[in-house]
Amino acid sequence: MQGYILNTIPVKNEDMLVHILTPLSIKRLYRFYGARHSIVHLGKKIDFEEEGNGLFLPKLRNIMHLGYSWESDLDRVYVWQRFMRLLGKHLFDIYELDNFYFNMLEMGADRLCKQNPLRVVLEMYAELLSFEGRDDKGRQCFICGNNIGNEVALGRSFLFAHAKCIGGSRAFKKIQILDFLSQKSTIGMNDDIVEKIWEILKQGL
């Protein structure tokens, strides 16, 4: 079975609880001495076996790292791991899920080899918002409820707001943000805007 490690939780004697996103579920498995293994790490894609005894958590066994060439680039690894940590929190209480999430990670990991990592994760997130039905922002500020003009600030989860309503935050051209969310593409944004939106994404999915 293949999957991406969403979270690792240390327990006694260097053992770990490992959350792994597979095509149709999130596995929560126990790994003895997991802290000693570099493969058992946030964001890694692995092939593994699940061994259950009916008395305790199933065990994570026979792990093989399915690596990517960009994993030698620390900047790309940092962005990937940060996004994976956010995704793990977003899906924390989920056990069964649509294959959208696994496929999203597959496509994103492939694109990281050549593309700007910030643009890759922002476009992944736009896909996620669309899939979850959270990309229809309407015309109103989520704080005051009044209509938004040609400029918009973004709150957590990319909720639309007036800049003054969320502490004078950076305002963007609304049409540019709407295009980004509808097209799932950052092609219309310069690197400065991409970096600003990445800072907002880091607040949570």
Side-chain angles (χ1 to χ4, degrees):
M1 184 180 301
Q2 295 184 2
Y4 290 89
I5 297 179
L6 283 181
N7 194 15
T8 58
I9 303 171
V11 290
K12 64 178 183 178
N13 300 327
E14 299 185 280
D15 297 350
M16 303 187 82
L17 297 178
V18 185
H19 296 183
I20 305 171
L21 189 151
T22 71
L24 296 175
S25 66
I26 295 178
K27 303 287 186 180
R28 286 149 173 94
L29 307 177
Y30 197 92
R31 177 65 179 182
F32 289 106
Y33 302 110
R36 299 182 183 181
H37 300 278
S38 60
I39 296 176
V40 185
H41 201 67
L42 176 68
K44 297 282 190 183
K45 183 181 181 182
I46 60 173
D47 188 270
F48 66 97
E49 293 181 3
E50 175 183 351
E51 179 183 289
N53 58 17
L55 300 176
F56 191 55
L57 284 174
K59 298 175 185 176
L60 175 61
R61 307 296 291 270
N62 298 327
I63 308 169
M64 178 183 296
H65 180 209
L66 304 174
Y68 292 96
S69 60
W70 52 260
E71 290 183 82
S72 60
D73 185 328
L74 294 181
D75 291 336
R76 294 177 190 274
V77 171
Y78 169 78
V79 172
W80 179 255
Q81 289 182 336
R82 193 64 184 265
F83 181 79
M84 294 293 282
R85 184 175 290 110
L86 293 169
L87 184 62
K89 291 180 179 179
H90 181 61
L91 300 175
F92 185 77
D93 293 324
I94 304 297
Y95 286 83
E96 296 182 356
L97 73 173
D98 191 274
N99 64 4
F100 162 83
Y101 298 93
F102 184 84
N103 293 338
M104 175 187 70
L105 295 179
E106 290 275 83
M107 290 185 286
D110 287 339
R111 291 166 54 202
L112 267 179
C113 294
K114 295 183 178 180
Q115 298 182 27
N116 180 314
L118 299 186
R119 292 179 182 273
V120 170
V121 297
L122 288 179
E123 291 169 6
M124 289 168 63
Y125 186 50
E127 294 279 0
L128 185 149
L129 288 174
S130 177
F131 176 77
E132 294 183 347
R134 297 192 287 135
D135 59 339
D136 182 9
K137 306 302 178 184
R139 299 179 180 179
Q140 288 77 37
C141 171
F142 82 96
I143 293 177
C144 71
N146 292 323
N147 288 344
I148 293 175
N150 294 326
E151 292 194 335
V152 61
L154 297 176
R156 179 174 175 171
S157 303
F158 291 2
L159 292 173
F160 280 24
H162 299 110
K164 64 181 180 180
C165 290
I166 49 177
S169 296
R170 165 75 181 266
F172 306 95
K173 293 180 180 179
K174 185 170 72 173
I175 186 65
Q176 191 173 47
I177 301 301
L178 290 173
D179 284 347
F180 157 58
L181 293 174
S182 63
Q183 301 297 322
K184 287 85 174 173
S185 172
T186 59
I187 194 170
M189 300 177 177
N190 62 36
D191 288 345
D192 177 64
I193 293 176
V194 166
E195 290 176 6
K196 294 293 190 302
I197 296 178
W198 162 244
E199 291 299 318
I200 297 168
L201 175 60
K202 290 194 295 185
Q203 298 175 18
L205 305 189

